[in-house]
Amino acid sequence: MNLTKRLQCYAREIGLELIGLAGVQPFTSAQEVLWERRRRGLYNPFAPANIDLACHPSRVLPGAKSFVAVALSYYQGHLPRPEGYRGYMARFSWGQDYHKVLGLKLDLLQRFLRREAPNSQSLAFVDTGPFLDKEVASRAGLGWFGKNTLLITELGSYLVLGGLLTTIGFSPSVFEQRECGTCDLCLRACPTGALIAPGILDSQRCLSYLTQRRGYFPPEMRSMLGLRLYGCDTCQEVCPHNYRAPITPHGEFFPRGQGHWPDLVKLLSLDKQGFKALYTGNAAGWGGRTLLQRNALLVLGNIGEPDLLATLKESFCDPRPLIRGHAAWALGRLKNKRALQVLEGGAANESDPLVKEEIRSALKGFSGISP
Ligand code: SF4
Ligand code: SF4
């Protein structure tokens, strides 16, 4: 068995469902497209910051000859939604942090290559690394770019991508290129119109990105968030290539303590310690407590039930201005006399200019409503 075959067998043995090989020639067409997107303000903020470096792999690892692209599926199937006031987590964040899960397997793969070719060198990457993981995966024949900008494979698109850049020269994988055809389900399903054209995403309108970005959530996007607490799966849920996606064999991707539909009232009550206990090691945990609690307030505002008043009132007194500001917005969505009184009381005592502005906007929504 040659090294390529042995590598493929070993990858499957350690649970990597897809593996492909590719050359390291510069990604010249991707480079042009990405610079154009950056100029238009459409460059994905989570993509590599240095476009030119990302498009010239051998500048990152001198002597590099091949990419080993791999994918790990995380599709968990349909799990029941618990009762109560809950917010939806995107599937990638249900279980353990995927960087860690894939990182451990890449580590094993690196050791394997070092054993097989002791003088070789390799660099591992998951989505936050210096490379264009989807471009690499596509070049290695793992799948093709869907109109939702994600890589569509024989296992669907609920996949964590990554790989190795290595000085070992492998023959590139042979594959047949596919595309979406006339389907446009994802473009029509996107709640914010973030997919502005097939394969082009405006990150500033994408709820997945916005729920992971810190700071004030854009006011015009808040109601479109619906029940999404972290991430957004809509353009994947509607994709026909995911209808029969196999359930992941990796137990690490199934919900842990915090659940896949966390209880929002409980989430808001978590102090630093409580948050750490529930979210350390989870992909949603890295953004921190304030980010998830901010999102929880937006979802509660979208639920808008009067009996949430006590919870929102408590957040409206939080020492963190960002939490008070989003609690003000959520109180404004209750549109009842008691919420109005809480907001008016807060307006008198608030000193933070951004929170004051949130209160003013929330109060405007009460005009015409009889107390
Ligand atoms: S993740 Fe959600 S908001 Fe972003 S493009 Fe897909 S459907 Fe639209
Ligand atoms: S929903 Fe249709 S258009 Fe969108 S990525 Fe899937 S196959 Fe392509």
Side-chain angles (χ1 to χ4, degrees), residues 17 72-76 94-96 101 105 247-256:
E17 284 106 333
L72 205 55
S73 82
Y74 62 83
Y75 182 70
Q76 306 92 338
W94 287 9
Q96 262 183 42
V101 181
K105 294 189 187 298
I247 295 191
T248 177
H250 309 292
E252 300 96 318
F253 292 129
F254 283 85
R256 303 191 315 149

Side-chain angles (χ1 to χ4, degrees), residues 33 60 84 89 111 116 252 254 260 284 301 311 315 323 348 358:
V33 171
V60 182
M89 309 273 283
R111 286 177 201 209
E116 294 281 336
E252 300 96 318
F254 283 85
H260 60 307
T311 300
S315 293
I323 295 298
E358 288 286 345

Side-chain angles (χ1 to χ4, degrees), residues 190-192 194-195 201 206-208 232 234-235:
C190 175
T192 62
L195 292 165
L201 176 77
C206 176
L207 297 171
S208 183
C232 168
T234 302
C235 58

Side-chain angles (χ1 to χ4, degrees), residues 144-150 152 179-187 235 238-241:
W144 76 94
F145 280 94
K147 290 179 186 172
N148 59 4
T149 77
L150 300 170
I152 314 286
E179 51 186 38
C180 294
T182 54
C183 177
D184 65 352
L185 288 172
C186 52
L187 277 89
C235 58
V238 298
C239 180
H241 294 281

Side-chain angles (χ1 to χ4, degrees), residues 175-213:
F175 58 93
E176 197 185 323
Q177 197 54 265
R178 292 181 61 191
E179 51 186 38
C180 294
T182 54
C183 177
D184 65 352
L185 288 172
C186 52
L187 277 89
R188 286 189 278 133
C190 175
T192 62
L195 292 165
I196 55 177
I200 303 185
L201 176 77
D202 180 353
S203 310
Q204 303 305 322
R205 296 188 65 78
C206 176
L207 297 171
S208 183
Y209 168 63
L210 293 173
T211 54
Q212 297 177 62
R213 187 181 74 177

Side-chain angles (χ1 to χ4, degrees), residues 61 63-68 113 120-122 164-168 170:
L61 178 66
K65 292 198 179 74
S66 308
F67 273 117
V68 179
L113 288 183
S120 67
Q121 279 182 285
S122 62
L164 300 179
L165 176 64
T166 170
T167 53
I168 303 172
F170 288 106

